[in-house]
Amino acid sequence: MKSLLLVISAFVPMLSLKPAMADTINTIYLAGGCFWGVQKFFDQFNGIIKTEVGYANGPNKAPSYEEVCSGSGHAETVRIDYDPDIMPLAKIIERYFMIIDPLSVNKQGNDKGTQYRTGIYYVTPSQVNEIEPVYQTEEQKYGKKLVVEFMPLSNFFRAEEYHQKYLDKNPGGYCHIPQSLFKLPEDREAALRARIGDLAYEITQNAATEYAFTGQYDNFFEKGLYVDIVDGEPLFISMNKYNSGCGWPAFTAPITKDAVYEKKDASHGMIRTEVRSKKANSHLGHVFNDGPKETGGLRYCINSAALRFVPYDRLEAEGYGEYKDMFK
């Protein structure tokens, strides 16, 4: 059975396949026409922790839905709480532009009125640096100034309960967003699982862990490059691999400082440091301070199934020729 192939950590029995939640959950507010569809669209993505619909950036008084429809000045808006380690803000904004017409004034689909205007309402100045490059790319794409409001959030009032998750309660309800866009992760994740296999999928996407001494690269020391099985990005090099005896591939360091990033993992009553790939955000394993002292004392304990090995004599043929000098 597949469940017998998986454990959650190198040191505890299988408990859950859920990744640890980030220490800090961030929030962004997006207006994109009727808020029913915008909420439904973002609810599908991994890394979106919570959404709720409401009325934003109008007079500082809570309006009713009828008042909003009569022109109160508020925009139908979705509050999005997200884990930036799983779903970066720039990625959220890229997906937001998938579902709006950024040149349409007070109109999305068949809905017309100031309440249907588009807007990106941020809550911290640091978010501007993440949003601006995506916004500017969209302007360059269209060759003209966008009409999407880009400003701080001034207020937000939660909408009536019947509006929350409306399209989940009413699957046949009206929406200006094509139904096909509500199934993006399902299609993408199914394709990824088919390509890399169940075990690799559960490890890289759900932070599972293979059993000790079962991975193909545990007792494996050929010369070559280890890349992310999800996107092929180089992560580790054989020269940094050593036999730690822990039952998983062990490395003293990643191939470059920027190849991976680390985050606190407080799951299962332990405090550990998780290691994820920088570009694909794949869960790889954990890093510990019990490695060889002569190389800095770190042990990157990595799941074999999260990696793909490229032999040294295949580097050129597979497009990794630039890394050959690292083996000299």
Side-chain angles (χ1 to χ4, degrees), residues 184-196:
L184 290 181
E186 178 181 314
D187 295 341
R188 185 185 66 249
E189 291 175 13
L192 177 61
R193 184 187 287 273
R195 177 167 62 85
I196 67 177

Side-chain angles (χ1 to χ4, degrees), residues 22 27 38 50 57 65 93 97 156 164 168 253 255 263:
T27 303
V38 178
K50 179 184 177 182
N57 280 32
Y65 180 62
I93 302 304
F97 278 113
F156 177 81
Q164 307 298 329
D168 288 344
I255 190 169
K263 59 179 288 191

